[in-house]
Amino acid sequence: MASAEVTIRGAGIFGLSCAWACLQRGARVRVVDPFGVGAGSSGGVVGALAPHVPETWNDKKAFQLDSLLMAEGFWAEVAEVSGLSPGYARSGRLQPLADERAVELARGREATAAALWQGRATWQVVAASGAPWEPASPTGLLVHDTLTARMHPRQACEALAAACRVKGAEIVPEAPDEGAVIWATGAAGLEEMSRLAGRQIGVPVKGQAAVLRHDAGTVPQIFAAGVHVVPHADGTVAIGSTSERDFDGLGTDAQLDEVIAAARAAVPVLRDAEVVERWAGLRPRARSRAPMLGAWPGRPGHFIANGGFKIGFGMGPKVGQVMAELVLEGTDAIPEGFRAEALF
Ligand SMILES: Cc1cc2nc3c(=O)[nH]c(=O)nc-3n(C[C@H](O)[C@H](O)[C@H](O)COP(=O)(O)OP(=O)(O)OC[C@H]3O[C@@H](n4cnc5c(N)ncnc54)[C@H](O)[C@@H]3O)c2cc1C
């Protein structure tokens, strides 16, 4: 490849989404990651693309809605170009309603969802049908939303990386900076930026997740007892996650057993499903808890795409779009609450 117009450091979902969006705009792109594609938190297993609650609207929710609505076309194109499946399906989500108060809140959100989600997805209180793939619900009622989707994080990164290569990107372990540089280096990047800035820019938050063997088919994912239960196309169900500020290493432990037990209690059909994988990763959490996007203050030509925290996969398509617009076209469409410079 002739010299790169954009060098992207980090081959997780943020770096690869930026690469893809820059390639779509005709740029020459090189992605550099010494540890390879999906080596960080993006190499995980859960893949819930779940919206915020449809009320008290703000920039972050609007940005996420855009990204979730972009996702179907985004992942379809990635699948077509790469020939690999990212495991995407907009299969919806079921949530049990614990008591009358929860039912009342959920009914209120039926109307706000209709307005805020622009009629492109619904949020409805429905009666549990007694089907095996349902969470136990004390009220006999569930919320069913049609905006939530799932994809397979690890497979999606491989598919996106392959699609980027088809479009001419290089993905290499080492290379000097050429052109504009986007730092999408996840939790390690937040720690490095904190060190360089002499103040806390962000921290890693560990998460543990598991994969169970159970072929649920294309059914809605479930969010119950604080646990995501996500059926995947490969005959498995992912369960996640712990959220740990204090941790010692990247192993899995008894905290994950508790998450698995909660999922089995909430979704009884998983009671005897075999655990086929236990996995842990470090979520990049910016001090703002929001995505952290934009120019790197005091470093001309350098940009930051970080802070995906718990929703990095949901945010990926839109993060790629706004970063490519900023870097290649000088158009700044980054919401106020996401601006990187505010954290330095
Ligand atoms: C248990 C768990 C469950 C999760 N579940 C979901 C979910 O259901 N839905 C969702 O949307 N999100 C989920 N997330 C969050 C999501 O995984 C992250 O938000 C996302 O992966 C962050 O992507 P990233 O590209 O910013 O970082 P990463 O994926 O961590 O990528 C950073 C990359 O930078 C590389 N790197 C580091 N230093 C350098 C350097 N100096 N030069 C070049 N490269 C470097 C690393 O090798 C790594 O590949 C979950 C996370 C965890 C841990």
Side-chain angles (χ1 to χ4, degrees):
M1 184 175 79
S3 65
E5 289 162 281
V6 185
T7 300
I8 295 171
R9 300 211 170 264
I13 185 63
F14 271 21
L16 293 169
S17 297
C18 291
W20 180 247
C22 289
L23 290 160
Q24 302 282 66
R25 287 162 179 75
R28 289 189 306 278
V29 174
R30 181 176 292 128
V31 181
V32 186
D33 193 320
F35 306 101
V37 169
S41 61
S42 301
V45 294
V46 182
L49 307 184
H52 288 289
V53 171
E55 63 184 16
T56 53
W57 212 233
N58 57 30
D59 276 2
K60 184 173 175 177
K61 290 186 181 186
F63 188 99
Q64 193 197 18
L65 174 65
D66 274 359
S67 199
L68 292 175
L69 292 172
M70 284 168 72
E72 192 155 16
F74 180 97
W75 290 112
E77 194 176 359
V78 166
E80 194 184 314
V81 172
S82 67
L84 299 174
S85 171
Y88 179 91
R90 193 166 136 190
S91 40
R93 176 183 53 176
L94 296 171
Q95 302 180 74
L97 291 169
D99 51 32
E100 277 315 306
R101 169 97 185 105
V103 173
E104 196 184 317
L105 269 174
R107 288 207 194 281
R109 290 167 183 161
E110 289 182 331
T112 48
L116 297 169
W117 290 355
Q118 305 155 13
R120 299 181 66 186
T122 57
W123 167 291
Q124 281 178 313
V125 176
V126 298
S129 71
W133 186 260
E134 256 181 9
S137 176
T139 56
L141 296 171
L142 307 167
V143 172
H144 178 219
D145 82 73
T146 60
L147 182 53
T148 301
R150 53 102 162 127
M151 30 71 61
H152 193 291
R154 200 174 287 160
Q155 292 167 17
C157 284
E158 287 303 333
L160 187 49
C164 286
R165 287 192 187 98
V166 170
K167 295 277 183 188
E170 278 181 359
I171 303 179
V172 296
E174 245 183 65
D177 291 344
E178 279 181 8
V181 183
I182 301 177
W183 292 83
T185 44
L190 289 177
E191 290 191 307
E192 176 66 359
M193 282 186 267
S194 301
R195 193 184 62 74
L196 292 172
R199 61 182 306 198
Q200 195 200 88
I201 304 286
V203 292
V205 174
K206 180 176 170 182
Q208 302 182 39
V211 181
L212 274 52
R213 192 182 312 285
H214 177 83
D215 192 350
T218 307
V219 289
Q221 62 191 263
I222 290 170
F223 185 69
V227 177
H228 294 279
V229 180
V230 184
H232 285 291
D234 61 358
T236 65
V237 173
I239 307 293
S241 314
T242 67
S243 189
E244 305 163 48
R245 283 289 293 270
D246 299 311
F247 54 86
D248 184 15
L250 257 184
T252 61
D253 56 31
Q255 296 176 79
L256 180 56
D257 298 334
E258 284 172 26
V259 173
I260 298 169
R264 291 194 199 279
V267 188
V269 74
L270 296 176
R271 205 173 29 237
D272 300 317
E274 180 196 358
V275 177
V276 291
E277 182 175 351
R278 295 165 66 94
W279 179 85
L282 298 181
R283 304 178 182 94
R285 201 203 88 157
R287 201 172 69 237
S288 58
R289 299 175 66 98
M292 177 190 177
L293 310 174
W296 186 325
R299 264 187 108 172
H302 289 246
F303 297 83
I304 297 164
N306 208 318
F309 194 27
K310 296 189 174 178
I311 54 172
F313 278 91
M315 294 293 209
K318 182 83 177 170
V319 164
Q321 182 192 72
V322 297
M323 290 303 295
E325 286 170 359
L326 179 69
V327 171
L328 298 175
E329 296 154 16
T331 309
D332 186 342
I334 297 167
E336 213 44 53
F338 292 6
R339 308 193 73 82
E341 73 258 22
L343 297 173
F344 280 81

